Amino acid sequence: MNVLILGSGGREHTFAWKLAQSSKLKQLFIAPGNAGTAKVGTNIAIAATDFDAIKNFVLTNSINMVVVGPEDPLVKGIHDYFLADTQLKNIPVIGPQKDGAQLEGSKEFSKIFMEKYGVPTAKYKSFTQSNLTQGHAFLESLTPPYVLKADGLAAGKGVLILTDLVEAKKELSLMIEDQKFGAASSTVVIEEFLKGIELSVFVLTDGNSYKILPSAKDYKRIGEGDTGLNTGGMGAISPVPFATADFIKKVEEQVVIPTINGLKKEGINYKGFIFIGLMNDNGNPSVVEYNVRMGDPETEVVIPRIKSDLLDLFEGVANQTLHEKSFEVDNRIATTVMLVSGGYPEDYEKGKIMTGFDQVKDSIAFHAGTKQEGKNIVTNGGRVLAITSFGTDIKDALSKSFANAEKINYDKKYYRKDIGFDLAY
Ligand code: AMP
Ligand code: GLY
């Protein structure tokens, strides 16, 4: 098969690395990709949201499957675009159509969906310009902390957690009236604060059956001890030690099955990944959010632990034969440590020459924000490289990721040296 992956981060390099191991793969392309994906496939200079250019490439290069990494093309309807086109409609797209992508594209949609199908989640109310005064009154009725969420996509920045009532009211007005997050915050969901410890569970579904992928925990804040600004993710660990078989069984019964059944009842033919962000409160799961794609950097620890052929699984998704596919997971622990550009997640410089790749031993360096410039690999984003390692336990895996993080060099390199700090190991 000829496969096209859309996206350019660590998640997409990991997909490319894994798909390249499949005996079913003939040619692999990544649009636009990075310096890492270029080592396992061919990069093409097309943006993941340029649907017409993607169509042209797919037809001229006999592409048999399109795997979508990020949420943007899904929420914008790449899958619908394929289905509506007579030349593309039989080429499978891994990733939901627009209707399913609303699980991530609209917080309000996902809250209504969870309530309707009995999926445990924080209580909420949503507000717009027309009932902003009630929004302020609703905040007064709650106890802090206050959780305010922009309804639409806001590049991971649309959630505010505030302890002060006056500030919460001010922020609510800024979101709705002053469009703090653009049109994404013209509707705001206010919800109850959930206690507990977060983790993520990933599901691959063909719309009928599903596979529950390994659990993972990511570290979102820039600073050690989970301090400072939110980032895309600074590291991840899989599996999560407190996600016991018992807990995962609860997630399956209370979240996964009602979600898959709910999608079917809504007439949503969902083919792709569902990323379930969860709070574990004393052994009980509650859904913080759905995403309609894999997480990044969670992919860098989850996908390497899947022993089965990922392309074979994707074929099962496309043909709705996922239930026939074998699914095996590596028992070892996987960790990843993200190297970022100094200054990230605020302003940072790109184009720093990177060295030390040939020194990396016992880890896989998944490229996130890199590009090839002549003979050099240079930094090309905030998150630069995810260093994934396997181990017999968390400590063993982390020691390899950290040792290799030291061997890669570029100006203003930064990474968190405390990934996993909150887990007993
Ligand atoms: P989201 O974009 O919905 O994942 O929210 C971003 C982050 O905010 C989550 O990863 C949580 O750490 C936090 N968060 C969101 N909703 C809640 C909630 N109801 N209670 C506590 N923390 C939350
Ligand atoms: N690491 C969190 C995300 O991919 O949304």
Side-chain angles (χ1 to χ4, degrees), residues 11 71 104 156 200 202 218-220 231-236 275 289 291 293-299 383:
R11 168 181 48 214
E71 65 277 14
E104 176 166 0
S200 303
F202 303 90
D218 81 337
Y219 291 80
K220 289 200 176 85
T231 71
M234 297 295 293
F275 164 154
E289 62 164 348
N291 293 309
R293 52 170 173 87
M294 281 298 290
D296 194 346
E298 292 93 328
T299 303
R383 295 193 295 167

PDB file of all heavy atoms in Angstrom, residues 11 71 104 156 200 202 218-220 231-236 275 289 291 293-299 383, ligand 2:
ATOM      1  N   ARG A  11       4.386  13.071  16.775  1.00  0.00           N
ATOM      2  CA  ARG A  11       3.331  12.062  16.559  1.00  0.00           C
ATOM      3  C   ARG A  11       3.449  11.481  15.147  1.00  0.00           C
ATOM      4  O   ARG A  11       3.417  10.264  14.963  1.00  0.00           O
ATOM      5  CB  ARG A  11       1.973  12.743  16.743  1.00  0.00           C
ATOM      6  CG  ARG A  11       0.772  11.940  16.277  1.00  0.00           C
ATOM      7  CD  ARG A  11      -0.527  12.719  16.477  1.00  0.00           C
ATOM      8  NE  ARG A  11      -0.426  14.073  15.970  1.00  0.00           N
ATOM      9  CZ  ARG A  11      -1.024  15.126  16.511  1.00  0.00           C
ATOM     10  NH1 ARG A  11      -1.809  15.007  17.547  1.00  0.00           N
ATOM     11  NH2 ARG A  11      -0.872  16.327  15.982  1.00  0.00           N
ATOM     12  N   GLU A  71      -5.630  17.560  14.646  1.00  0.00           N
ATOM     13  CA  GLU A  71      -7.089  17.728  14.629  1.00  0.00           C
ATOM     14  C   GLU A  71      -7.587  18.703  13.567  1.00  0.00           C
ATOM     15  O   GLU A  71      -8.713  18.577  13.086  1.00  0.00           O
ATOM     16  CB  GLU A  71      -7.584  18.189  16.020  1.00  0.00           C
ATOM     17  CG  GLU A  71      -7.119  19.562  16.498  1.00  0.00           C
ATOM     18  CD  GLU A  71      -5.736  19.559  17.121  1.00  0.00           C
ATOM     19  OE1 GLU A  71      -5.007  18.561  16.960  1.00  0.00           O
ATOM     20  OE2 GLU A  71      -5.375  20.564  17.761  1.00  0.00           O
ATOM     21  N   GLU A 104     -13.951  16.978  19.674  1.00  0.00           N
ATOM     22  CA  GLU A 104     -12.840  17.846  20.064  1.00  0.00           C
ATOM     23  C   GLU A 104     -13.102  19.295  19.653  1.00  0.00           C
ATOM     24  O   GLU A 104     -12.723  20.222  20.381  1.00  0.00           O
ATOM     25  CB  GLU A 104     -11.522  17.368  19.427  1.00  0.00           C
ATOM     26  CG  GLU A 104     -10.355  18.306  19.718  1.00  0.00           C
ATOM     27  CD  GLU A 104      -8.987  17.720  19.403  1.00  0.00           C
ATOM     28  OE1 GLU A 104      -8.913  16.560  18.939  1.00  0.00           O
ATOM     29  OE2 GLU A 104      -7.996  18.428  19.629  1.00  0.00           O
ATOM     30  N   GLY A 156      -4.984  24.664  22.186  1.00  0.00           N
ATOM     31  CA  GLY A 156      -4.644  24.139  23.507  1.00  0.00           C
ATOM     32  C   GLY A 156      -4.618  25.193  24.604  1.00  0.00           C
ATOM     33  O   GLY A 156      -4.209  24.927  25.730  1.00  0.00           O
ATOM     34  N   SER A 200      -4.361   9.586  30.223  1.00  0.00           N
ATOM     35  CA  SER A 200      -5.062   9.486  28.952  1.00  0.00           C
ATOM     36  C   SER A 200      -5.161   8.039  28.522  1.00  0.00           C
ATOM     37  O   SER A 200      -4.232   7.255  28.716  1.00  0.00           O
ATOM     38  CB  SER A 200      -4.326  10.267  27.871  1.00  0.00           C
ATOM     39  OG  SER A 200      -4.194  11.604  28.269  1.00  0.00           O
ATOM     40  N   PHE A 202      -6.375   5.788  25.040  1.00  0.00           N
ATOM     41  CA  PHE A 202      -6.585   5.969  23.603  1.00  0.00           C
ATOM     42  C   PHE A 202      -7.327   4.765  23.043  1.00  0.00           C
ATOM     43  O   PHE A 202      -7.088   3.628  23.448  1.00  0.00           O
ATOM     44  CB  PHE A 202      -5.239   6.124  22.892  1.00  0.00           C
ATOM     45  CG  PHE A 202      -4.446   7.267  23.454  1.00  0.00           C
ATOM     46  CD1 PHE A 202      -3.573   7.067  24.516  1.00  0.00           C
ATOM     47  CD2 PHE A 202      -4.614   8.547  22.965  1.00  0.00           C
ATOM     48  CE1 PHE A 202      -2.865   8.125  25.066  1.00  0.00           C
ATOM     49  CE2 PHE A 202      -3.920   9.611  23.504  1.00  0.00           C
ATOM     50  CZ  PHE A 202      -3.043   9.403  24.550  1.00  0.00           C
ATOM     51  N   ASP A 218       0.953  12.465  30.327  1.00  0.00           N
ATOM     52  CA  ASP A 218       1.894  13.453  29.803  1.00  0.00           C
ATOM     53  C   ASP A 218       2.131  14.555  30.828  1.00  0.00           C
ATOM     54  O   ASP A 218       1.419  14.649  31.825  1.00  0.00           O
ATOM     55  CB  ASP A 218       1.463  14.002  28.436  1.00  0.00           C
ATOM     56  CG  ASP A 218       0.408  15.091  28.530  1.00  0.00           C
ATOM     57  OD1 ASP A 218      -0.299  15.131  29.556  1.00  0.00           O
ATOM     58  OD2 ASP A 218       0.281  15.877  27.587  1.00  0.00           O
ATOM     59  N   TYR A 219       3.158  15.320  30.593  1.00  0.00           N
ATOM     60  CA  TYR A 219       3.581  16.402  31.500  1.00  0.00           C
ATOM     61  C   TYR A 219       3.483  17.698  30.719  1.00  0.00           C
ATOM     62  O   TYR A 219       4.312  17.967  29.871  1.00  0.00           O
ATOM     63  CB  TYR A 219       5.000  16.093  32.019  1.00  0.00           C
ATOM     64  CG  TYR A 219       4.944  14.906  32.947  1.00  0.00           C
ATOM     65  CD1 TYR A 219       4.898  13.611  32.448  1.00  0.00           C
ATOM     66  CD2 TYR A 219       4.799  15.084  34.314  1.00  0.00           C
ATOM     67  CE1 TYR A 219       4.746  12.520  33.298  1.00  0.00           C
ATOM     68  CE2 TYR A 219       4.659  14.000  35.172  1.00  0.00           C
ATOM     69  CZ  TYR A 219       4.627  12.732  34.662  1.00  0.00           C
ATOM     70  OH  TYR A 219       4.460  11.651  35.500  1.00  0.00           O
ATOM     71  N   LYS A 220       2.428  18.481  31.019  1.00  0.00           N
ATOM     72  CA  LYS A 220       2.078  19.610  30.137  1.00  0.00           C
ATOM     73  C   LYS A 220       2.807  20.903  30.454  1.00  0.00           C
ATOM     74  O   LYS A 220       2.982  21.742  29.577  1.00  0.00           O
ATOM     75  CB  LYS A 220       0.569  19.882  30.237  1.00  0.00           C
ATOM     76  CG  LYS A 220      -0.291  18.811  29.579  1.00  0.00           C
ATOM     77  CD  LYS A 220      -1.687  19.346  29.276  1.00  0.00           C
ATOM     78  CE  LYS A 220      -2.533  18.340  28.526  1.00  0.00           C
ATOM     79  NZ  LYS A 220      -3.214  17.386  29.411  1.00  0.00           N
ATOM     80  N   THR A 231       2.235  23.718  27.879  1.00  0.00           N
ATOM     81  CA  THR A 231       2.892  23.462  26.588  1.00  0.00           C
ATOM     82  C   THR A 231       2.076  22.386  25.874  1.00  0.00           C
ATOM     83  O   THR A 231       1.082  21.901  26.414  1.00  0.00           O
ATOM     84  CB  THR A 231       4.312  22.908  26.799  1.00  0.00           C
ATOM     85  OG1 THR A 231       4.204  21.557  27.299  1.00  0.00           O
ATOM     86  CG2 THR A 231       5.115  23.735  27.776  1.00  0.00           C
ATOM     87  N   GLY A 232       2.523  21.963  24.722  1.00  0.00           N
ATOM     88  CA  GLY A 232       1.902  20.821  24.063  1.00  0.00           C
ATOM     89  C   GLY A 232       2.158  19.529  24.823  1.00  0.00           C
ATOM     90  O   GLY A 232       1.400  18.565  24.707  1.00  0.00           O
ATOM     91  N   GLY A 233       3.221  19.505  25.613  1.00  0.00           N
ATOM     92  CA  GLY A 233       3.595  18.291  26.362  1.00  0.00           C
ATOM     93  C   GLY A 233       5.099  18.159  26.393  1.00  0.00           C
ATOM     94  O   GLY A 233       5.758  18.293  25.364  1.00  0.00           O
ATOM     95  N   MET A 234       5.660  17.945  27.581  1.00  0.00           N
ATOM     96  CA  MET A 234       7.114  17.928  27.773  1.00  0.00           C
ATOM     97  C   MET A 234       7.682  16.526  27.981  1.00  0.00           C
ATOM     98  O   MET A 234       8.885  16.356  28.142  1.00  0.00           O
ATOM     99  CB  MET A 234       7.463  18.790  28.983  1.00  0.00           C
ATOM    100  CG  MET A 234       7.112  20.254  28.837  1.00  0.00           C
ATOM    101  SD  MET A 234       8.063  21.070  27.531  1.00  0.00           S
ATOM    102  CE  MET A 234       9.709  21.022  28.246  1.00  0.00           C
ATOM    103  N   GLY A 235       6.807  15.535  28.014  1.00  0.00           N
ATOM    104  CA  GLY A 235       7.276  14.168  28.210  1.00  0.00           C
ATOM    105  C   GLY A 235       6.085  13.282  28.478  1.00  0.00           C
ATOM    106  O   GLY A 235       4.978  13.788  28.715  1.00  0.00           O
ATOM    107  N   ALA A 236       6.284  11.979  28.415  1.00  0.00           N
ATOM    108  CA  ALA A 236       5.166  11.064  28.667  1.00  0.00           C
ATOM    109  C   ALA A 236       5.679   9.700  29.098  1.00  0.00           C
ATOM    110  O   ALA A 236       6.844   9.348  28.851  1.00  0.00           O
ATOM    111  CB  ALA A 236       4.294  10.926  27.422  1.00  0.00           C
ATOM    112  N   PHE A 275      -9.040  10.038  21.769  1.00  0.00           N
ATOM    113  CA  PHE A 275      -8.114  10.288  22.871  1.00  0.00           C
ATOM    114  C   PHE A 275      -8.999  10.718  24.036  1.00  0.00           C
ATOM    115  O   PHE A 275      -9.709  11.722  23.942  1.00  0.00           O
ATOM    116  CB  PHE A 275      -7.173  11.376  22.375  1.00  0.00           C
ATOM    117  CG  PHE A 275      -6.318  12.152  23.342  1.00  0.00           C
ATOM    118  CD1 PHE A 275      -5.134  12.711  22.882  1.00  0.00           C
ATOM    119  CD2 PHE A 275      -6.659  12.372  24.674  1.00  0.00           C
ATOM    120  CE1 PHE A 275      -4.326  13.477  23.708  1.00  0.00           C
ATOM    121  CE2 PHE A 275      -5.852  13.119  25.507  1.00  0.00           C
ATOM    122  CZ  PHE A 275      -4.698  13.682  25.020  1.00  0.00           C
ATOM    123  N   GLU A 289     -11.786  15.591  28.757  1.00  0.00           N
ATOM    124  CA  GLU A 289     -11.965  15.995  27.362  1.00  0.00           C
ATOM    125  C   GLU A 289     -11.794  14.798  26.440  1.00  0.00           C
ATOM    126  O   GLU A 289     -11.177  13.801  26.798  1.00  0.00           O
ATOM    127  CB  GLU A 289     -10.933  17.052  26.972  1.00  0.00           C
ATOM    128  CG  GLU A 289      -9.512  16.535  27.071  1.00  0.00           C
ATOM    129  CD  GLU A 289      -8.469  17.389  26.355  1.00  0.00           C
ATOM    130  OE1 GLU A 289      -8.838  18.266  25.583  1.00  0.00           O
ATOM    131  OE2 GLU A 289      -7.278  17.137  26.576  1.00  0.00           O
ATOM    132  N   ASN A 291     -10.299  14.073  22.529  1.00  0.00           N
ATOM    133  CA  ASN A 291      -9.655  14.578  21.325  1.00  0.00           C
ATOM    134  C   ASN A 291      -9.873  13.529  20.243  1.00  0.00           C
ATOM    135  O   ASN A 291     -10.071  12.351  20.554  1.00  0.00           O
ATOM    136  CB  ASN A 291      -8.154  14.814  21.552  1.00  0.00           C
ATOM    137  CG  ASN A 291      -7.906  15.945  22.532  1.00  0.00           C
ATOM    138  OD1 ASN A 291      -8.450  17.027  22.389  1.00  0.00           O
ATOM    139  ND2 ASN A 291      -7.100  15.691  23.548  1.00  0.00           N
ATOM    140  N   ARG A 293      -7.867  12.510  17.836  1.00  0.00           N
ATOM    141  CA  ARG A 293      -6.557  12.189  17.259  1.00  0.00           C
ATOM    142  C   ARG A 293      -5.725  11.594  18.364  1.00  0.00           C
ATOM    143  O   ARG A 293      -6.158  11.561  19.517  1.00  0.00           O
ATOM    144  CB  ARG A 293      -5.925  13.500  16.782  1.00  0.00           C
ATOM    145  CG  ARG A 293      -5.986  14.489  17.965  1.00  0.00           C
ATOM    146  CD  ARG A 293      -5.249  15.734  17.839  1.00  0.00           C
ATOM    147  NE  ARG A 293      -5.526  16.627  18.964  1.00  0.00           N
ATOM    148  CZ  ARG A 293      -4.878  16.624  20.118  1.00  0.00           C
ATOM    149  NH1 ARG A 293      -3.880  15.772  20.316  1.00  0.00           N
ATOM    150  NH2 ARG A 293      -5.203  17.447  21.082  1.00  0.00           N
ATOM    151  N   MET A 294      -4.519  11.179  18.046  1.00  0.00           N
ATOM    152  CA  MET A 294      -3.612  10.739  19.104  1.00  0.00           C
ATOM    153  C   MET A 294      -2.991  11.958  19.785  1.00  0.00           C
ATOM    154  O   MET A 294      -2.960  13.044  19.222  1.00  0.00           O
ATOM    155  CB  MET A 294      -2.514   9.863  18.518  1.00  0.00           C
ATOM    156  CG  MET A 294      -2.938   8.427  18.240  1.00  0.00           C
ATOM    157  SD  MET A 294      -3.452   7.530  19.743  1.00  0.00           S
ATOM    158  CE  MET A 294      -1.888   7.356  20.597  1.00  0.00           C
ATOM    159  N   GLY A 295      -2.511  11.768  20.991  1.00  0.00           N
ATOM    160  CA  GLY A 295      -1.842  12.849  21.713  1.00  0.00           C
ATOM    161  C   GLY A 295      -0.389  12.946  21.287  1.00  0.00           C
ATOM    162  O   GLY A 295       0.194  12.001  20.767  1.00  0.00           O
ATOM    163  N   ASP A 296       0.198  14.097  21.543  1.00  0.00           N
ATOM    164  CA  ASP A 296       1.614  14.292  21.266  1.00  0.00           C
ATOM    165  C   ASP A 296       2.189  14.990  22.494  1.00  0.00           C
ATOM    166  O   ASP A 296       1.746  16.095  22.806  1.00  0.00           O
ATOM    167  CB  ASP A 296       1.760  15.158  20.008  1.00  0.00           C
ATOM    168  CG  ASP A 296       3.165  15.134  19.442  1.00  0.00           C
ATOM    169  OD1 ASP A 296       4.073  14.671  20.149  1.00  0.00           O
ATOM    170  OD2 ASP A 296       3.353  15.582  18.304  1.00  0.00           O
ATOM    171  N   PRO A 297       3.050  14.389  23.284  1.00  0.00           N
ATOM    172  CA  PRO A 297       3.954  13.269  23.001  1.00  0.00           C
ATOM    173  C   PRO A 297       3.462  11.877  23.425  1.00  0.00           C
ATOM    174  O   PRO A 297       4.263  10.941  23.419  1.00  0.00           O
ATOM    175  CB  PRO A 297       5.192  13.633  23.830  1.00  0.00           C
ATOM    176  CG  PRO A 297       4.622  14.263  25.063  1.00  0.00           C
ATOM    177  CD  PRO A 297       3.393  15.013  24.597  1.00  0.00           C
ATOM    178  N   GLU A 298       2.182  11.702  23.744  1.00  0.00           N
ATOM    179  CA  GLU A 298       1.734  10.369  24.166  1.00  0.00           C
ATOM    180  C   GLU A 298       1.968   9.319  23.073  1.00  0.00           C
ATOM    181  O   GLU A 298       2.324   8.169  23.360  1.00  0.00           O
ATOM    182  CB  GLU A 298       0.248  10.394  24.542  1.00  0.00           C
ATOM    183  CG  GLU A 298      -0.066  11.201  25.796  1.00  0.00           C
ATOM    184  CD  GLU A 298      -0.432  12.638  25.486  1.00  0.00           C
ATOM    185  OE1 GLU A 298       0.089  13.208  24.502  1.00  0.00           O
ATOM    186  OE2 GLU A 298      -1.248  13.208  26.231  1.00  0.00           O
ATOM    187  N   THR A 299       1.767   9.724  21.807  1.00  0.00           N
ATOM    188  CA  THR A 299       1.996   8.796  20.684  1.00  0.00           C
ATOM    189  C   THR A 299       3.397   8.186  20.744  1.00  0.00           C
ATOM    190  O   THR A 299       3.589   7.007  20.417  1.00  0.00           O
ATOM    191  CB  THR A 299       1.840   9.562  19.345  1.00  0.00           C
ATOM    192  OG1 THR A 299       0.548  10.137  19.328  1.00  0.00           O
ATOM    193  CG2 THR A 299       2.010   8.635  18.140  1.00  0.00           C
ATOM    194  N   ARG A 383       8.702  22.568  20.209  1.00  0.00           N
ATOM    195  CA  ARG A 383       9.070  21.212  20.618  1.00  0.00           C
ATOM    196  C   ARG A 383       9.919  20.622  19.505  1.00  0.00           C
ATOM    197  O   ARG A 383       9.522  20.595  18.344  1.00  0.00           O
ATOM    198  CB  ARG A 383       7.814  20.392  20.892  1.00  0.00           C
ATOM    199  CG  ARG A 383       7.052  20.960  22.102  1.00  0.00           C
ATOM    200  CD  ARG A 383       5.987  20.022  22.599  1.00  0.00           C
ATOM    201  NE  ARG A 383       4.935  19.830  21.635  1.00  0.00           N
ATOM    202  CZ  ARG A 383       4.016  18.856  21.745  1.00  0.00           C
ATOM    203  NH1 ARG A 383       4.052  18.013  22.762  1.00  0.00           N
ATOM    204  NH2 ARG A 383       3.072  18.749  20.843  1.00  0.00           N
TER     205      ARG A 383
HETATM  206  N1  GLY B   2      -0.318  16.032  24.860  1.00  0.00           N
HETATM  207  C1  GLY B   2      -1.644  16.510  24.798  1.00  0.00           C
HETATM  208  C2  GLY B   2      -2.243  16.573  23.468  1.00  0.00           C
HETATM  209  O1  GLY B   2      -1.764  16.031  22.498  1.00  0.00           O
HETATM  210  O2  GLY B   2      -3.302  17.199  23.345  1.00  0.00           O
END
